[in-house]
Amino acid sequence: MAAVTTVNSANRRRMTSLLGKPWSGVAVLLVFYIALIIVFSVLSPFFLSVRNMLSIGQNIAFVGLMAAAGTPLIIAGGLDLSVAAIAGLTGVAISILQGAGLDIWVAVALSLVIAAGVGIVNGLFTTRLRLNPLIVTLGMMSIVSGLSLVLTGGLTRPMMFPTFNWVGQGRVGGIPIPLVIMAVTFVALWVVLTRTRFGRFVYASGGNAEAARLIGIPVDRTIIVLYVISALSGAVAGIILCAMLGAAAPTSAGQYLLTVIAAIILGGTSLNGGRGSVWGTLLAILILGTLNNGLTLLNVSSFWQDVTRGVVLMLAVSLDQIRTRALGD
């Protein structure tokens, strides 16, 4: 009996250690973020100002939305490469539906329904047909991107409606609306993941899907719901981007897919599933947004910024593998 007690105590200590590691990872990201702010503050007199900080927040908000929703999906063992393409299609759908005579907000609502439909298709192909999510969502990305180009002829369509543009350009108490939406999304997802049964389903599905099924967890349904949430985040991101730009561009969000994936992995979410947190993703998004802003203020070429994003993505994946081996997964 004493031996069993000792083993159980050792197991509890190990679990406590493992659960603590994600938070230690978040602490490392926080230290790096603070260091980045200090460096850019020294190098540029324009960096550390309220206006610039709010500008960073507004510019990363739509990317942060997609990364926030993508975090629980990857924790559950899924992956969505179509989310940025869905953002582009959403703006195109709104412009076409409004041009057909519908009220702008009716067009927005229908675009959300379309996005949810794409998410359901992704989820069904992944769960029912047991296809690799990388292949499914890569194919969906191609379909959605191609459809956006076909519907617009590759052209940008103006979207100048004061109430609609307010979503991307307006402020509440001096805080940009997109930043408020992103903050609410992160808090809501944190509550869902840490305070609800669904959140427990998410971690169990990614940790060991077969074992989760054996104890009655609806793994397939959970993953389908997460694909719908991811697709809807792409749609909301597309609405914000369209409202910010005052135009619907079919390829407006495609370039941000790497940033979304890099932020999720850099934030400590494992590509193998079962581990991650939205706060790590938030810090990673802030780091990437601050990095882009600081390099722009220092007049670093956009080409080098692309190189930087690629390096960060490779670093994020490498860190994920190091974390996985350290935890013995």
Side-chain angles (χ1 to χ4, degrees), residues 52-120:
N52 190 55
M53 292 294 106
L54 291 177
S55 175
I56 292 174
Q58 184 169 14
N59 290 332
I60 66 171
F62 63 94
V63 182
L65 272 171
M66 293 185 282
T71 299
L73 177 58
I74 292 182
I75 290 174
L79 178 67
D80 189 358
L81 298 181
S82 66
V83 62
I86 292 172
L89 178 63
T90 298
V92 169
I94 292 172
S95 67
I96 290 175
L97 291 170
Q98 189 280 326
L102 294 179
D103 178 80
I104 184 66
W105 295 111
V106 173
V108 168
L110 289 176
S111 72
L112 291 172
V113 173
I114 292 170
V118 174
I120 291 173

Side-chain angles (χ1 to χ4, degrees), residues 232-301:
L232 287 175
S233 77
V236 175
I239 292 168
I240 290 174
L241 187 58
C242 186
M244 284 176 61
L245 299 175
T251 59
S252 58
Q255 62 182 310
Y256 298 106
L257 176 62
L258 281 180
T259 304
V260 171
I261 301 300
I264 296 172
I265 307 306
L266 185 61
T269 300
S270 174
L271 282 171
N272 294 325
R275 188 173 68 251
S277 75
V278 291
W279 298 130
T281 299
L282 176 59
L283 275 172
I285 277 290
L286 289 172
I287 288 171
L288 294 173
T290 300
L291 189 61
N292 283 342
N293 178 269
L295 292 175
T296 300
L297 288 177
L298 296 176
N299 293 319
V300 175
S301 167

Side-chain angles (χ1 to χ4, degrees), residues 85-280:
I86 292 172
L89 178 63
T90 298
V92 169
I94 292 172
S95 67
I96 290 175
L97 291 170
Q98 189 280 326
L102 294 179
D103 178 80
I104 184 66
W105 295 111
V106 173
V108 168
L110 289 176
S111 72
L112 291 172
V113 173
I114 292 170
V118 174
I120 291 173
V121 172
N122 281 337
L124 289 176
F125 270 76
T126 302
T127 58
R128 296 293 187 261
L129 299 181
R130 296 287 186 263
L131 298 180
N132 189 306
L134 174 68
I135 302 303
V136 172
T137 58
L138 186 62
M140 184 60 75
M141 178 181 72
S142 181
I143 293 170
V144 172
S145 298
L147 189 59
S148 297
L149 292 170
V150 168
L151 291 173
T152 61
L155 301 176
T156 298
R157 301 168 67 100
M159 290 289 293
M160 301 302 294
F161 303 93
T163 55
F164 175 73
N165 296 130
W166 180 81
V167 174
Q169 302 171 10
R171 298 191 174 217
V172 173
I175 308 297
I177 295 298
L179 186 55
V180 173
I181 295 173
M182 185 189 79
V184 170
T185 301
F186 270 101
V187 171
L189 286 173
W190 172 72
V191 170
V192 169
L193 285 175
T194 61
R195 299 288 187 271
T196 69
R197 177 192 292 184
F198 183 78
R200 293 191 290 275
F201 288 173
V202 170
Y203 281 97
S205 299
N208 190 324
E210 292 308 315
R213 287 189 179 94
L214 289 175
I215 62 174
I217 291 177
V219 174
D220 290 353
R221 188 170 63 196
T222 298
I223 291 176
I224 291 172
V225 170
L226 290 174
Y227 272 110
V228 172
I229 292 173
S230 177
L232 287 175
S233 77
V236 175
I239 292 168
I240 290 174
L241 187 58
C242 186
M244 284 176 61
L245 299 175
T251 59
S252 58
Q255 62 182 310
Y256 298 106
L257 176 62
L258 281 180
T259 304
V260 171
I261 301 300
I264 296 172
I265 307 306
L266 185 61
T269 300
S270 174
L271 282 171
N272 294 325
R275 188 173 68 251
S277 75
V278 291
W279 298 130

